Amino acid sequence: MIGKIYDMLIQNRQQLKDQIYDIARYLEKEIGEKISNVWIEYEPNSSSNEKKFVAVDGGSFTKAMRIGIIYTVDAEAVRGDKEKVEIINEDGRIGIFKPGNDAKERANLLMEVLELKLALESGKLGDYLLLDGSLTNKIGKKINTEKISKEELNIVESIDIDKIISIKNEEKMRELLQLLNQFLITRVLEEYDGNVLWISKTSRSRELFSTDYSDITVLELFTNSSGFTKPYIKTINQEKVSDVYELEFLRKMEYSVFYTRLGKGNKIIKIEIAGRIDESIAKEIIDDLSEVAIKGYPFPLLKVHMDVRISQNDRKRIIKLLGSKIHKDIEWWPSQFY
């Protein structure tokens, strides 16, 4: 069959290439002026004050087996500057959820909880706290707190992660993990305010240019210089925030968004920061980030991302070790259960 596809490609190659050029010309015509209105060329300046960066990220892995869902999650915090990066905190969990719904979602929520817990504990050790991803995505979904008891709320407020993941009711566990995420995000933002940067390598947001393509894609296609977009202000979607008094700060919060390229030809990244900032603050952030950037991305965040990644070899080894333990300790265990 692939031979037929190659024949079609050769036959229609020019037509396909013309379609690609037509799309590019259309985009350039439609949004060229918009780009010139929002994109500011800027060459980062070396900062005279060396800044410390705390970066936090996490990884997760789930494996469905007939006995249940094996999950492994980890999180790490590093501190770095332009000279070195060192691990300052780490955490993780491994266990088995009984067969059921939302196992992968619960594992991801658990990973985010560990990330935010480390961020809360370690953010004070740097001038900036770097978190991977988008603030709005991390906030997640609103939880119906009418179903949450006072005792369960106390578990969340005390950040008792192990007690939450020991709950047998899957829906309740997921809701408490989601609520704990919002509690931790609020505490991180209250504690470190404008020092927290949420950094995305990819984003599907189309707010700037309102095209079929993401804003990052448009900026990648039609800019090449170092620079940034003018910051714009957003407010947290209140429909996502659970109705708990302790989350009032998050519910009312404004935050600023801008895109930047830290060096000519580098990739575009998206930055979100609590509060209102202007172009001068954006330039200051860019200056500081560029000091520790590798190919346009902050190295501390890249380092921690590589550290927490659970590779294919790690996954196979975890399954093998767990399988070996089952064989050794429970001789009668049916082989089809693993």
Side-chain angles (χ1 to χ4, degrees), residues 42 44-47 49-55 80-82 127-131 195-200 258-263 266 269-273 281-301:
Y42 177 70
N45 295 313
S46 295
S47 176
N49 298 319
E50 187 175 293
K51 300 293 176 67
K52 298 285 186 183
F53 296 83
V54 172
D81 51 33
K82 61 184 178 182
D127 300 290
Y128 287 101
L129 174 57
L130 309 182
L131 297 173
N195 295 334
V196 186
L197 303 181
W198 306 79
I199 299 181
S200 305
F258 66 97
Y259 297 87
T260 183
R261 180 184 284 115
L262 298 178
N266 291 157
I269 58 176
K270 180 181 180 180
I271 297 179
E272 297 171 338
I273 180 172
I281 299 297
K283 288 178 180 179
E284 182 180 328
I285 292 170
I286 291 168
D287 290 344
D288 292 334
L289 286 177
S290 66
E291 292 289 311
V292 293
I294 301 293
K295 295 186 177 179
Y297 193 72
F299 181 69
L301 207 49

Short mmCIF file of all heavy atoms in Angstrom, two decimals, residues 42 44-47 49-55 80-82 127-131 195-200 258-263 266 269-273 281-301:
data_model
loop_
_atom_site.label_atom_id
_atom_site.label_comp_id
_atom_site.label_asym_id
_atom_site.label_seq_id
_atom_site.Cartn_x
_atom_site.Cartn_y
_atom_site.Cartn_z
N TYR A 42 13.98 42.25 21.04
CA TYR A 42 14.74 42.62 22.23
C TYR A 42 15.89 41.64 22.41
O TYR A 42 15.70 40.42 22.42
CB TYR A 42 13.85 42.58 23.47
CG TYR A 42 14.58 42.88 24.76
CD1 TYR A 42 15.05 44.16 25.03
CD2 TYR A 42 14.80 41.88 25.70
CE1 TYR A 42 15.73 44.43 26.20
CE2 TYR A 42 15.48 42.15 26.88
CZ TYR A 42 15.95 43.43 27.12
OH TYR A 42 16.63 43.70 28.29
N PRO A 44 18.48 40.18 24.92
CA PRO A 44 18.67 40.12 26.38
C PRO A 44 20.00 40.71 26.80
O PRO A 44 21.03 40.55 26.12
CB PRO A 44 18.62 38.61 26.67
CG PRO A 44 17.84 38.02 25.54
CD PRO A 44 18.19 38.85 24.34
N ASN A 45 19.98 41.39 27.94
CA ASN A 45 21.19 41.97 28.52
C ASN A 45 21.68 41.08 29.66
O ASN A 45 20.89 40.50 30.39
CB ASN A 45 20.90 43.37 29.08
CG ASN A 45 20.54 44.35 27.97
OD1 ASN A 45 21.21 44.42 26.96
ND2 ASN A 45 19.48 45.10 28.19
N SER A 46 23.00 41.01 29.80
CA SER A 46 23.56 40.24 30.91
C SER A 46 23.19 40.91 32.23
O SER A 46 23.32 42.12 32.39
CB SER A 46 25.09 40.16 30.79
OG SER A 46 25.44 39.43 29.64
N SER A 47 22.72 40.08 33.16
CA SER A 47 22.32 40.62 34.46
C SER A 47 23.54 40.79 35.35
O SER A 47 24.38 39.90 35.45
CB SER A 47 21.32 39.66 35.12
OG SER A 47 20.97 40.11 36.39
N ASN A 49 23.35 41.15 38.60
CA ASN A 49 23.06 40.39 39.81
C ASN A 49 22.72 38.95 39.45
O ASN A 49 21.70 38.69 38.83
CB ASN A 49 21.89 41.02 40.58
CG ASN A 49 22.19 42.44 41.03
OD1 ASN A 49 23.30 42.71 41.47
ND2 ASN A 49 21.22 43.32 40.90
N GLU A 50 23.59 38.03 39.84
CA GLU A 50 23.37 36.63 39.50
C GLU A 50 22.19 36.09 40.29
O GLU A 50 22.16 36.14 41.51
CB GLU A 50 24.64 35.81 39.80
CG GLU A 50 24.55 34.38 39.32
CD GLU A 50 25.86 33.64 39.53
OE1 GLU A 50 26.85 34.01 38.87
OE2 GLU A 50 25.89 32.73 40.36
N LYS A 51 21.21 35.55 39.57
CA LYS A 51 19.99 35.06 40.19
C LYS A 51 20.04 33.54 40.36
O LYS A 51 20.67 32.83 39.57
CB LYS A 51 18.78 35.44 39.35
CG LYS A 51 18.60 36.94 39.17
CD LYS A 51 18.26 37.63 40.47
CE LYS A 51 18.17 39.13 40.34
NZ LYS A 51 17.05 39.56 39.53
N LYS A 52 19.36 33.08 41.42
CA LYS A 52 19.21 31.65 41.66
C LYS A 52 17.82 31.21 41.20
O LYS A 52 16.83 31.90 41.45
CB LYS A 52 19.36 31.33 43.15
CG LYS A 52 20.73 31.68 43.73
CD LYS A 52 21.78 30.68 43.30
CE LYS A 52 23.11 30.96 44.00
NZ LYS A 52 24.17 30.04 43.54
N PHE A 53 17.77 30.07 40.55
CA PHE A 53 16.52 29.55 40.03
C PHE A 53 16.21 28.20 40.68
O PHE A 53 17.04 27.28 40.63
CB PHE A 53 16.59 29.35 38.51
CG PHE A 53 16.77 30.63 37.74
CD1 PHE A 53 18.03 31.18 37.56
CD2 PHE A 53 15.69 31.28 37.19
CE1 PHE A 53 18.21 32.35 36.84
CE2 PHE A 53 15.84 32.46 36.48
CZ PHE A 53 17.11 33.00 36.30
N VAL A 54 15.04 28.09 41.27
CA VAL A 54 14.53 26.80 41.72
C VAL A 54 13.56 26.30 40.66
O VAL A 54 12.64 27.03 40.26
CB VAL A 54 13.82 26.91 43.08
CG1 VAL A 54 13.13 25.59 43.44
CG2 VAL A 54 14.82 27.28 44.17
N ALA A 55 13.79 25.09 40.17
CA ALA A 55 12.93 24.51 39.14
C ALA A 55 12.36 23.19 39.64
O ALA A 55 13.07 22.41 40.27
CB ALA A 55 13.71 24.29 37.84
N GLY A 80 19.63 26.24 40.58
CA GLY A 80 20.74 26.47 39.67
C GLY A 80 20.97 27.93 39.36
O GLY A 80 20.11 28.78 39.58
N ASP A 81 22.15 28.20 38.84
CA ASP A 81 22.49 29.50 38.29
C ASP A 81 23.26 29.24 37.00
O ASP A 81 23.20 28.14 36.46
CB ASP A 81 23.30 30.33 39.30
CG ASP A 81 24.50 29.56 39.86
OD1 ASP A 81 25.09 28.73 39.11
OD2 ASP A 81 24.86 29.76 41.03
N LYS A 82 23.99 30.21 36.51
CA LYS A 82 24.68 30.00 35.24
C LYS A 82 25.92 29.12 35.38
O LYS A 82 26.55 28.76 34.39
CB LYS A 82 25.06 31.34 34.60
CG LYS A 82 25.99 32.21 35.42
CD LYS A 82 26.19 33.54 34.71
CE LYS A 82 27.07 34.49 35.50
NZ LYS A 82 27.23 35.79 34.84
N ASP A 127 15.66 33.00 43.72
CA ASP A 127 15.04 34.27 43.36
C ASP A 127 13.82 34.07 42.49
O ASP A 127 12.90 34.89 42.48
CB ASP A 127 16.05 35.16 42.62
CG ASP A 127 17.28 35.46 43.47
OD1 ASP A 127 17.13 36.20 44.44
OD2 ASP A 127 18.37 34.92 43.16
N TYR A 128 13.83 32.99 41.71
CA TYR A 128 12.70 32.61 40.88
C TYR A 128 12.34 31.16 41.18
O TYR A 128 13.20 30.33 41.48
CB TYR A 128 13.04 32.70 39.39
CG TYR A 128 13.14 34.09 38.83
CD1 TYR A 128 14.38 34.70 38.62
CD2 TYR A 128 11.99 34.81 38.46
CE1 TYR A 128 14.47 35.97 38.08
CE2 TYR A 128 12.08 36.08 37.92
CZ TYR A 128 13.32 36.66 37.72
OH TYR A 128 13.41 37.91 37.18
N LEU A 129 11.04 30.86 41.04
CA LEU A 129 10.55 29.49 41.11
C LEU A 129 9.97 29.16 39.74
O LEU A 129 9.00 29.78 39.30
CB LEU A 129 9.49 29.37 42.20
CG LEU A 129 8.76 28.02 42.32
CD1 LEU A 129 9.73 26.87 42.56
CD2 LEU A 129 7.72 28.09 43.43
N LEU A 130 10.58 28.19 39.04
CA LEU A 130 10.17 27.81 37.69
C LEU A 130 9.35 26.53 37.74
O LEU A 130 9.80 25.52 38.28
CB LEU A 130 11.39 27.61 36.79
CG LEU A 130 12.44 28.72 36.76
CD1 LEU A 130 13.56 28.37 35.77
CD2 LEU A 130 11.80 30.06 36.39
N LEU A 131 8.15 26.59 37.16
CA LEU A 131 7.27 25.43 37.11
C LEU A 131 6.92 25.15 35.66
O LEU A 131 6.61 26.07 34.89
CB LEU A 131 6.00 25.67 37.93
CG LEU A 131 6.22 25.89 39.43
CD1 LEU A 131 4.92 26.29 40.10
CD2 LEU A 131 6.79 24.64 40.07
N ASN A 195 7.42 35.84 41.99
CA ASN A 195 8.66 35.11 41.67
C ASN A 195 8.39 33.77 40.98
O ASN A 195 9.32 33.08 40.60
CB ASN A 195 9.46 34.85 42.95
CG ASN A 195 9.97 36.13 43.58
OD1 ASN A 195 10.15 37.13 42.90
ND2 ASN A 195 10.16 36.12 44.88
N VAL A 196 7.10 33.40 40.85
CA VAL A 196 6.75 32.11 40.25
C VAL A 196 6.50 32.30 38.76
O VAL A 196 5.65 33.10 38.36
CB VAL A 196 5.49 31.51 40.90
CG1 VAL A 196 5.25 30.10 40.36
CG2 VAL A 196 5.62 31.49 42.42
N LEU A 197 7.25 31.56 37.93
CA LEU A 197 7.07 31.60 36.49
C LEU A 197 6.59 30.22 36.02
O LEU A 197 7.25 29.22 36.26
CB LEU A 197 8.38 31.94 35.78
CG LEU A 197 9.07 33.26 36.16
CD1 LEU A 197 10.34 33.44 35.33
CD2 LEU A 197 8.13 34.44 35.96
N TRP A 198 5.46 30.21 35.33
CA TRP A 198 4.96 28.99 34.71
C TRP A 198 5.40 29.04 33.25
O TRP A 198 5.05 29.96 32.51
CB TRP A 198 3.44 28.93 34.80
CG TRP A 198 2.93 29.07 36.20
CD1 TRP A 198 2.79 30.23 36.91
CD2 TRP A 198 2.50 28.02 37.08
NE1 TRP A 198 2.31 29.96 38.16
CE2 TRP A 198 2.11 28.62 38.30
CE3 TRP A 198 2.40 26.63 36.95
CZ2 TRP A 198 1.63 27.89 39.37
CZ3 TRP A 198 1.92 25.90 38.02
CH2 TRP A 198 1.55 26.51 39.20
N ILE A 199 6.18 28.05 32.83
CA ILE A 199 6.81 28.09 31.51
C ILE A 199 6.36 26.91 30.67
O ILE A 199 6.46 25.75 31.09
CB ILE A 199 8.35 28.11 31.64
CG1 ILE A 199 8.79 29.37 32.41
CG2 ILE A 199 9.02 28.05 30.27
CD1 ILE A 199 10.28 29.50 32.59
N SER A 200 5.84 27.20 29.47
CA SER A 200 5.35 26.17 28.56
C SER A 200 6.19 26.14 27.29
O SER A 200 6.41 27.18 26.67
CB SER A 200 3.89 26.43 28.18
OG SER A 200 3.07 26.55 29.31
N PHE A 258 2.97 36.28 28.49
CA PHE A 258 3.71 36.76 27.31
C PHE A 258 4.53 35.61 26.74
O PHE A 258 4.83 34.63 27.42
CB PHE A 258 4.59 37.97 27.62
CG PHE A 258 5.74 37.71 28.56
CD1 PHE A 258 7.03 37.48 28.06
CD2 PHE A 258 5.57 37.75 29.93
CE1 PHE A 258 8.10 37.26 28.92
CE2 PHE A 258 6.63 37.53 30.80
CZ PHE A 258 7.89 37.28 30.29
N TYR A 259 4.84 35.74 25.45
CA TYR A 259 5.69 34.77 24.77
C TYR A 259 7.05 35.40 24.55
O TYR A 259 7.17 36.62 24.38
CB TYR A 259 5.09 34.39 23.41
CG TYR A 259 3.75 33.70 23.49
CD1 TYR A 259 2.56 34.43 23.54
CD2 TYR A 259 3.67 32.31 23.52
CE1 TYR A 259 1.33 33.80 23.62
CE2 TYR A 259 2.44 31.67 23.59
CZ TYR A 259 1.27 32.42 23.64
OH TYR A 259 0.07 31.78 23.72
N THR A 260 8.08 34.57 24.55
CA THR A 260 9.41 35.11 24.34
C THR A 260 10.30 34.13 23.59
O THR A 260 10.09 32.92 23.66
CB THR A 260 10.09 35.50 25.68
OG1 THR A 260 11.37 36.10 25.42
CG2 THR A 260 10.29 34.28 26.57
N ARG A 261 11.27 34.68 22.89
CA ARG A 261 12.37 33.90 22.31
C ARG A 261 13.64 34.49 22.91
O ARG A 261 13.94 35.67 22.73
CB ARG A 261 12.39 34.00 20.78
CG ARG A 261 13.53 33.21 20.16
CD ARG A 261 13.61 33.37 18.65
NE ARG A 261 12.58 32.61 17.96
CZ ARG A 261 11.60 33.16 17.23
NH1 ARG A 261 11.53 34.48 17.14
NH2 ARG A 261 10.71 32.40 16.63
N LEU A 262 14.38 33.65 23.65
CA LEU A 262 15.51 34.16 24.43
C LEU A 262 16.77 34.38 23.59
O LEU A 262 17.71 35.03 24.05
CB LEU A 262 15.82 33.21 25.58
CG LEU A 262 14.69 33.04 26.61
CD1 LEU A 262 15.08 32.02 27.68
CD2 LEU A 262 14.35 34.38 27.26
N GLY A 263 16.79 33.84 22.38
CA GLY A 263 17.93 34.04 21.49
C GLY A 263 17.50 33.85 20.06
O GLY A 263 16.55 33.10 19.77
N ASN A 266 15.99 30.57 18.41
CA ASN A 266 15.54 29.63 19.44
C ASN A 266 14.03 29.41 19.36
O ASN A 266 13.32 30.12 18.66
CB ASN A 266 15.90 30.15 20.83
CG ASN A 266 17.39 30.15 21.10
OD1 ASN A 266 17.87 30.89 21.95
ND2 ASN A 266 18.15 29.35 20.38
N ILE A 269 8.82 30.27 23.90
CA ILE A 269 8.23 29.72 25.12
C ILE A 269 7.17 30.68 25.64
O ILE A 269 7.21 31.88 25.35
CB ILE A 269 9.29 29.44 26.22
CG1 ILE A 269 10.05 30.72 26.58
CG2 ILE A 269 10.24 28.34 25.79
CD1 ILE A 269 11.03 30.53 27.74
N LYS A 270 6.22 30.13 26.37
CA LYS A 270 5.14 30.93 26.95
C LYS A 270 5.38 31.06 28.45
O LYS A 270 5.70 30.08 29.11
CB LYS A 270 3.79 30.25 26.69
CG LYS A 270 2.59 30.99 27.25
CD LYS A 270 1.31 30.20 26.95
CE LYS A 270 0.08 30.91 27.49
NZ LYS A 270 -1.15 30.12 27.20
N ILE A 271 5.22 32.27 28.96
CA ILE A 271 5.46 32.53 30.39
C ILE A 271 4.20 33.14 31.01
O ILE A 271 3.60 34.07 30.45
CB ILE A 271 6.65 33.47 30.59
CG1 ILE A 271 7.93 32.81 30.06
CG2 ILE A 271 6.81 33.84 32.06
CD1 ILE A 271 9.17 33.67 30.17
N GLU A 272 3.80 32.59 32.15
CA GLU A 272 2.69 33.14 32.94
C GLU A 272 3.22 33.50 34.32
O GLU A 272 4.01 32.76 34.90
CB GLU A 272 1.56 32.10 33.05
CG GLU A 272 0.94 31.74 31.71
CD GLU A 272 -0.02 30.57 31.81
OE1 GLU A 272 0.08 29.77 32.77
OE2 GLU A 272 -0.87 30.44 30.91
N ILE A 273 2.76 34.63 34.83
CA ILE A 273 3.23 35.11 36.13
C ILE A 273 2.07 35.81 36.83
O ILE A 273 1.28 36.52 36.20
CB ILE A 273 4.45 36.07 35.97
CG1 ILE A 273 4.92 36.57 37.33
CG2 ILE A 273 4.13 37.22 35.04
CD1 ILE A 273 6.23 37.35 37.26
N ILE A 281 9.19 44.81 33.21
CA ILE A 281 9.31 43.60 34.03
C ILE A 281 9.56 42.39 33.14
O ILE A 281 10.36 41.51 33.47
CB ILE A 281 8.04 43.39 34.89
CG1 ILE A 281 7.84 44.57 35.84
CG2 ILE A 281 8.13 42.08 35.66
CD1 ILE A 281 8.95 44.73 36.85
N ALA A 282 8.86 42.34 31.99
CA ALA A 282 9.08 41.23 31.05
C ALA A 282 10.55 41.20 30.60
O ALA A 282 11.16 40.13 30.53
CB ALA A 282 8.16 41.37 29.84
N LYS A 283 11.13 42.36 30.32
CA LYS A 283 12.53 42.42 29.91
C LYS A 283 13.45 41.94 31.03
O LYS A 283 14.44 41.24 30.78
CB LYS A 283 12.90 43.85 29.51
CG LYS A 283 12.30 44.30 28.19
CD LYS A 283 12.68 45.76 27.89
CE LYS A 283 12.06 46.20 26.57
NZ LYS A 283 12.40 47.63 26.26
N GLU A 284 13.13 42.32 32.26
CA GLU A 284 13.93 41.88 33.40
C GLU A 284 13.91 40.36 33.54
O GLU A 284 14.94 39.73 33.77
CB GLU A 284 13.40 42.54 34.68
CG GLU A 284 14.19 42.21 35.93
CD GLU A 284 13.63 42.89 37.16
OE1 GLU A 284 13.08 43.99 37.04
OE2 GLU A 284 13.73 42.29 38.25
N ILE A 285 12.73 39.77 33.37
CA ILE A 285 12.60 38.31 33.43
C ILE A 285 13.39 37.66 32.31
O ILE A 285 14.12 36.67 32.52
CB ILE A 285 11.11 37.90 33.34
CG1 ILE A 285 10.37 38.34 34.61
CG2 ILE A 285 10.97 36.40 33.12
CD1 ILE A 285 8.86 38.20 34.52
N ILE A 286 13.29 38.21 31.11
CA ILE A 286 14.02 37.67 29.96
C ILE A 286 15.52 37.76 30.18
O ILE A 286 16.26 36.81 29.89
CB ILE A 286 13.60 38.42 28.67
CG1 ILE A 286 12.15 38.09 28.32
CG2 ILE A 286 14.52 38.08 27.51
CD1 ILE A 286 11.55 38.98 27.26
N ASP A 287 15.99 38.90 30.70
CA ASP A 287 17.43 39.05 30.99
C ASP A 287 17.90 37.96 31.95
O ASP A 287 18.95 37.33 31.74
CB ASP A 287 17.69 40.42 31.62
CG ASP A 287 17.53 41.57 30.63
OD1 ASP A 287 17.51 41.30 29.42
OD2 ASP A 287 17.41 42.73 31.09
N ASP A 288 17.13 37.73 33.00
CA ASP A 288 17.53 36.74 34.01
C ASP A 288 17.48 35.32 33.46
O ASP A 288 18.39 34.52 33.69
CB ASP A 288 16.64 36.87 35.25
CG ASP A 288 16.87 38.17 36.00
OD1 ASP A 288 17.98 38.72 35.90
OD2 ASP A 288 15.95 38.64 36.69
N LEU A 289 16.42 34.99 32.73
CA LEU A 289 16.29 33.64 32.17
C LEU A 289 17.38 33.34 31.14
O LEU A 289 17.88 32.22 31.06
CB LEU A 289 14.91 33.46 31.52
CG LEU A 289 13.71 33.30 32.45
CD1 LEU A 289 12.42 33.19 31.62
CD2 LEU A 289 13.85 32.06 33.33
N SER A 290 17.74 34.36 30.37
CA SER A 290 18.74 34.14 29.31
C SER A 290 20.09 33.75 29.89
O SER A 290 20.90 33.10 29.22
CB SER A 290 18.87 35.39 28.43
OG SER A 290 19.40 36.48 29.17
N GLU A 291 20.35 34.13 31.15
CA GLU A 291 21.63 33.79 31.79
C GLU A 291 21.78 32.28 31.99
O GLU A 291 22.90 31.77 32.05
CB GLU A 291 21.73 34.50 33.15
CG GLU A 291 21.86 36.00 33.08
CD GLU A 291 23.22 36.43 32.56
OE1 GLU A 291 24.25 35.93 33.05
OE2 GLU A 291 23.25 37.27 31.65
N VAL A 292 20.66 31.56 32.11
CA VAL A 292 20.74 30.12 32.37
C VAL A 292 20.09 29.31 31.25
O VAL A 292 19.78 28.13 31.41
CB VAL A 292 20.07 29.76 33.72
CG1 VAL A 292 20.85 30.35 34.88
CG2 VAL A 292 18.61 30.21 33.75
N ALA A 293 19.86 29.95 30.09
CA ALA A 293 19.16 29.28 28.99
C ALA A 293 20.12 28.47 28.13
O ALA A 293 21.25 28.88 27.85
CB ALA A 293 18.43 30.30 28.14
N ILE A 294 19.66 27.31 27.72
CA ILE A 294 20.35 26.47 26.73
C ILE A 294 19.43 26.33 25.53
O ILE A 294 18.33 25.78 25.64
CB ILE A 294 20.68 25.07 27.30
CG1 ILE A 294 21.56 25.18 28.54
CG2 ILE A 294 21.34 24.20 26.24
CD1 ILE A 294 22.95 25.71 28.28
N LYS A 295 19.84 26.87 24.40
CA LYS A 295 19.03 26.87 23.18
C LYS A 295 17.62 27.42 23.46
O LYS A 295 16.62 26.90 22.99
CB LYS A 295 18.93 25.46 22.59
CG LYS A 295 20.27 24.94 22.08
CD LYS A 295 20.12 23.60 21.38
CE LYS A 295 21.47 23.14 20.82
NZ LYS A 295 21.37 21.84 20.14
N GLY A 296 17.58 28.47 24.26
CA GLY A 296 16.34 29.18 24.47
C GLY A 296 15.44 28.63 25.56
O GLY A 296 14.30 29.09 25.69
N TYR A 297 15.94 27.69 26.36
CA TYR A 297 15.11 27.12 27.42
C TYR A 297 15.91 27.10 28.71
O TYR A 297 17.09 26.74 28.72
CB TYR A 297 14.68 25.70 27.04
CG TYR A 297 13.57 25.15 27.91
CD1 TYR A 297 12.27 25.64 27.77
CD2 TYR A 297 13.81 24.17 28.85
CE1 TYR A 297 11.24 25.16 28.56
CE2 TYR A 297 12.79 23.68 29.65
CZ TYR A 297 11.51 24.17 29.50
OH TYR A 297 10.50 23.70 30.29
N PRO A 298 15.29 27.48 29.84
CA PRO A 298 16.03 27.53 31.12
C PRO A 298 16.61 26.15 31.48
O PRO A 298 15.84 25.18 31.62
CB PRO A 298 14.96 27.96 32.13
CG PRO A 298 13.91 28.63 31.32
CD PRO A 298 13.89 27.94 30.00
N PHE A 299 17.92 26.09 31.65
CA PHE A 299 18.55 24.80 31.90
C PHE A 299 18.09 24.13 33.20
O PHE A 299 17.92 22.91 33.22
CB PHE A 299 20.08 24.93 31.89
CG PHE A 299 20.77 23.61 32.11
CD1 PHE A 299 20.73 22.61 31.14
CD2 PHE A 299 21.44 23.35 33.30
CE1 PHE A 299 21.34 21.39 31.34
CE2 PHE A 299 22.05 22.13 33.52
CZ PHE A 299 22.00 21.15 32.54
N PRO A 300 17.88 24.87 34.31
CA PRO A 300 17.40 24.18 35.52
C PRO A 300 16.09 23.41 35.28
O PRO A 300 15.92 22.31 35.79
CB PRO A 300 17.19 25.33 36.51
CG PRO A 300 18.16 26.37 36.08
CD PRO A 300 18.17 26.30 34.58
N LEU A 301 15.20 23.99 34.46
CA LEU A 301 13.93 23.31 34.18
C LEU A 301 14.16 22.12 33.25
O LEU A 301 13.50 21.08 33.38
CB LEU A 301 12.95 24.31 33.54
CG LEU A 301 11.45 24.05 33.72
CD1 LEU A 301 11.08 23.77 35.16
CD2 LEU A 301 10.67 25.22 33.17
#
